[in-house]
């Protein structure tokens, strides 16, 4: 443990030095992390951001583009040979092809390098030639950040905390029943270990569906290519003393440590620790539609996710970061094209309030933060429609189900976000008024003018906040 962290520190030290040298002498690299919970809009965001940085006709809010200082933008092989490449071309093709549709779910880390040749602005304008800035975009599931809390825990501590939580939840009854017939000191028996792990995973799935956000270990719910492997075949057992050799308990301890060192640690070391700028995508409209409990759960999950960006919170992470940190974090409510722009300020206020606690902490730690409502791919148009003597601000698009064109008014969002978050915090199970409808629109076939990227809402503002100062 000690040896590996010293070695890690040395490697990180060398990396940091070489990063700084190459940054000063050669070409600066910005590593942009894109995260969010499942279905929050990460893949669509990255695809549209890259397309709109390659063709900048719709990016007036990105100052360097507006000033015409970006001379060229091109995709390059990424620097990390072992990370899957973000499949930009395939995602763009499904979104903008002749029969457009939404991309499939992606459940792992991926990366893409976009390089920009930029002429300096301001005082340096006439003095320096163009330089190349590399933007490395890293897509990773927000759920993985939740595992940070495991790193400073032993198996016994983790198991005790987890079991205490399970005992208070009806969703865990089945797992706890299976546990009551289990002797942790008995000889390790693989079918029994697997049955326990399956039972525990089933509990995590039910708990997540019921709206709990503390469903860790995160990879149990998003196993990817680790499904069925021993690092995911453990479960919490009651621990009353040191484990015996060859016992079930000893094997569970071993696998828990393997999960930490072979799943959690590499993610934080190889991906998280190297990020400079971060965008956290939030499907706030989806949560509001599901009701107060989903909103409250999302608020908790955001606070947990953002805890990872607060240096000092976790001793293990501090050692890994070596003083490095993310210096800008953007919180973006996605899919804002579900709303007429008259309702966007209300959505922005909600995302601000939803992440306020977490933002205050990050601010405290010196990172700049901003919250905004955006649509990475705008698939609707706006119109006002008369309804019972009132003009309702609607959006029109192609419905995902049935493919029909329809105009749609989702319902009122309160001007004061407290009206949503208050009941959610107080444990309400339904909104007092008519609630908020959600509608899924399909991407529409589009014809892009040369030089224009796909249509969006405020993607340029997001880009300016995230990278504009470095261009
Ligand atoms: N109208 C609209 N819908 C969007 C937008 N972005 C995402 N969506 C919807 O949200 C869904 C999820 O988007 P993805 O980009 O695949 O989300 P993700 O975070 O990559 O999801 P996972 O890979 O499953 O974690 C899409 O299938 C769309 O239905 C947008 O800008 N506008
Ligand atoms: Mg995805």
């Amino acid at each position: 443990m000690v040896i590996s962290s010293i070695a890690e520190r040395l490697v990180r030290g060398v990396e940091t030095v070489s990063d700084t040298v190459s940054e000063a002498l050669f070409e600066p690299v910005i590593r942009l992390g894109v995260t969010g919970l499942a279905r929050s809009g990460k893949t669509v965001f990255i695809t549209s951001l890259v397309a709109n940085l390659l063709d900048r006709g719709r990016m007036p809010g990105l100052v360097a583009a507006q000033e015409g200082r970006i001379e060229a933008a091109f995709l390059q092989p990424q620097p990390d040979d072992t990370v899957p490449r973000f499949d930009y071309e395939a995602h763009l093709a499904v979104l903008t092809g002749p029969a457009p549709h939404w991309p499939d779910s992606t459940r792992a880390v991926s990366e893409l390098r976009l390089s920009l040749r930029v002429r300096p602005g301001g005082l340096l304008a006439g003095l320096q030639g163009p330089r190349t800035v590399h933007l490395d975009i890293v897509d990773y599931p927000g759920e993985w950040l939740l595992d940070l809390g495991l790193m400073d825990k032993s198996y016994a501590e983790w198991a005790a905390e987890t079991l205490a939580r399970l005992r208070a939840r009806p969703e865990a009854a089945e797992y706890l029943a299976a546990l009551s017939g289990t002797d942790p000191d008995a000889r390790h028996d693989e079918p029994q270990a697997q049955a326990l792990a399956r039972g525990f995973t089933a509990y995590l799935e039910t708990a997540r569906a019921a709206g709990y956000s503390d469903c860790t270990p995160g990879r149990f719910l998003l196993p990817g290519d680790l499904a069925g492997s021993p690092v995911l075949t453990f479960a919490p057992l009651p621990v009353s003393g040191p484990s015996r050799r060859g016992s079930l308990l000893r094997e569970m301890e071993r696998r828990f440590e393997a999960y930490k060192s072979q799943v959690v640690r590499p993610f934080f070391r190889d991906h998280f620790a190297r990020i400079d700028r971060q965008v956290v995508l939030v499907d706030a409209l989806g949560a509001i539609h599901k009701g107060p409990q989903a909103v409250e759960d999302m608020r908790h999950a955001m606070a947990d996710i953002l805890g990872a960006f607060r240096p000092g919170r976790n001793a293990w992470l501090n050692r890994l970061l070596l003083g490095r940190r993310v210096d800008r974090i953007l919180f973006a409510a996605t899919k804002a094209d579900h709303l007429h722009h008259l309702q966007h300020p209300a959505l922005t206020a909600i995302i601000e309030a939803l992440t306020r606690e977490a933002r205050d902490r990050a601010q405290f730690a010196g990172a700049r933060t901003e919250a905004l409502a955006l649509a990475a791919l705008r698939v609707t148009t706006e119109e006002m429609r008369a309804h019972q003597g009132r003009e309702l601000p609607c959006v029109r698009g192609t419905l995902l189900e049935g493919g029909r064109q329809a105009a749609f008014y989702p319902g009122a969002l309160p001007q004061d976000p407290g009206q949503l978050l208050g009941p959610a915090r107080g444990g309400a199970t339904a909104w007092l008024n008519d609630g908020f409808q959600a509608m899924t629109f399909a991407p529409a076939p589009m014809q892009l003018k040369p030089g224009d990227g796909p249509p969006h809402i405020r993607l340029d503002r997001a880009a300016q906040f995230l990278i504009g100062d470095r261009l």
Side-chain angles (χ1 to χ4, degrees):
M1 172 67 200
V2 174
I3 294 173
S4 75
S5 64
I6 291 175
E8 210 156 63
R9 206 182 294 200
L10 286 177
V11 174
R12 294 273 323 126
V14 171
E15 251 178 42
T16 315
V17 171
S18 61
D19 277 3
T20 331
V21 172
S22 73
E23 220 166 274
L25 293 182
F26 309 108
E27 299 173 340
V29 177
I30 311 170
R31 278 183 82 86
L32 171 64
V34 178
T35 199
L37 297 175
R39 311 312 290 152
S40 55
K42 301 178 288 292
T43 303
V44 177
F45 177 86
I46 297 176
T47 307
S48 183
L49 178 67
V50 170
N52 276 290
L53 287 172
L54 289 171
D55 287 300
R56 297 170 295 283
R58 292 189 208 258
M59 297 293 270
L62 180 63
V63 174
Q66 173 69 10
E67 293 177 350
R69 291 193 287 106
I70 303 181
E71 294 191 338
F74 43 98
L75 291 171
Q76 292 224 69
Q78 71 203 43
D80 300 287
D81 288 330
T82 54
V83 182
R85 181 176 182 274
F86 179 86
D87 200 354
Y88 167 71
E89 293 79 6
H91 296 315
L92 185 71
V94 305
L95 285 171
T96 61
H101 54 95
W102 296 110
D104 290 339
S105 221
T106 46
R107 290 292 157 90
V109 168
S110 66
E111 184 181 306
L112 187 70
R113 168 167 283 194
L114 175 78
S115 301
L116 301 166
R117 201 158 58 241
V118 190
R119 261 189 294 115
L123 292 174
L124 294 176
L127 300 173
Q128 260 182 13
R131 74 207 151 90
T132 304
V133 179
H134 303 292
L135 179 63
D136 289 344
I137 304 177
V138 185
D139 171 7
Y140 67 92
E143 285 84 353
W144 291 8
L145 293 178
L146 302 178
D147 277 344
L148 180 59
L150 302 181
M151 288 311 289
D152 282 335
K153 286 187 188 127
S154 67
Y155 175 80
E157 287 165 333
W158 170 75
E161 280 174 25
T162 308
L163 288 175
R165 205 154 52 213
L166 263 58
R167 287 195 190 99
R169 293 184 183 171
E171 290 84 359
E174 213 166 307
Y175 175 73
L176 292 174
L179 206 55
S180 67
T182 304
D183 175 10
D185 291 327
R187 274 203 77 69
H188 162 68
D189 166 61
E190 189 54 28
Q192 187 188 19
Q194 286 180 7
L196 287 168
R198 262 198 310 276
F200 180 56
T201 310
Y203 153 74
L204 289 173
E205 278 161 3
T206 329
R208 182 177 59 177
Y212 294 106
S213 61
D214 49 13
C215 305
T216 56
R219 223 57 78 89
F220 277 54
L221 295 173
L222 290 175
D225 51 9
L226 292 176
S229 66
V231 280
L232 298 191
T233 313
F234 65 90
L237 302 178
V239 181
S240 50
S243 59
R244 295 213 197 112
R245 257 179 96 179
S247 66
L248 180 64
L249 178 59
R250 177 67 66 91
E251 186 59 17
M252 291 289 181
E253 286 174 349
R254 198 189 65 72
R255 292 178 184 185
F256 177 76
E257 291 304 326
Y259 181 82
K260 281 163 53 179
S261 65
Q262 291 171 42
V263 178
V264 186
R265 175 195 296 265
F267 164 68
F268 278 91
R269 181 193 57 210
D270 301 340
H271 302 292
F272 184 79
R274 298 164 59 207
I275 286 169
D276 306 303
R277 303 283 162 98
Q278 178 68 48
V279 50
V280 181
L281 303 176
V282 187
D283 181 10
L285 290 175
I288 296 168
H289 168 62
K290 284 194 209 132
Q293 292 196 334
V295 168
E296 179 62 2
D297 177 53
M298 170 169 285
R299 193 179 65 80
H300 278 295
M302 292 319 291
D304 286 350
I305 285 183
L306 294 162
F309 295 99
R310 191 172 136 222
R313 195 184 88 135
N314 186 291
W316 174 79
L317 184 61
N318 264 356
R319 284 198 299 275
L320 198 71
L321 290 175
L322 285 167
R324 227 183 131 124
R325 65 153 190 253
V326 173
D327 60 357
R328 286 189 180 208
I329 309 173
L330 175 70
F331 303 95
T334 50
K335 316 179 193 179
D337 58 329
H338 284 104
L339 296 178
H340 192 283
H341 75 267
L342 291 176
Q343 290 188 299
H344 288 182
L347 179 59
T348 309
I350 290 168
I351 179 82
E352 274 182 352
L354 200 57
T355 52
R356 171 136 322 130
E357 247 167 77
R359 291 181 71 206
D360 288 348
R361 287 189 206 153
Q363 227 131 25
F364 180 64
R368 274 192 60 185
T369 62
E370 193 167 296
L372 58 78
L374 61 79
L377 188 73
R378 176 183 199 152
V379 301
T380 62
T381 52
E382 299 185 337
E383 65 187 49
M384 299 297 286
R385 285 180 82 94
H387 178 73
Q388 299 181 343
R390 274 203 308 154
E391 286 283 298
L392 290 184
C394 297
V395 291
R396 169 179 289 279
T398 312
L399 298 184
L400 194 62
E401 266 159 46
R404 214 162 35 85
Q405 277 272 322
F408 173 70
Y409 173 67
L413 286 178
Q415 290 307 312
D416 169 12
Q419 287 179 17
L420 278 176
L421 301 185
R425 219 182 259 248
T429 52
W431 303 122
L432 275 182
N433 56 12
D434 304 339
F436 184 84
Q437 300 305 305
M439 190 50 71
T440 314
F441 294 106
M446 49 187 122
Q447 278 169 349
L448 302 181
K449 277 195 306 195
D452 272 4
H456 63 79
I457 299 170
R458 281 187 282 277
L459 196 59
D460 51 343
R461 284 256 321 266
Q464 175 61 27
F465 175 75
L466 289 168
I467 60 169
D469 62 313
R470 304 277 298 269
L471 300 181

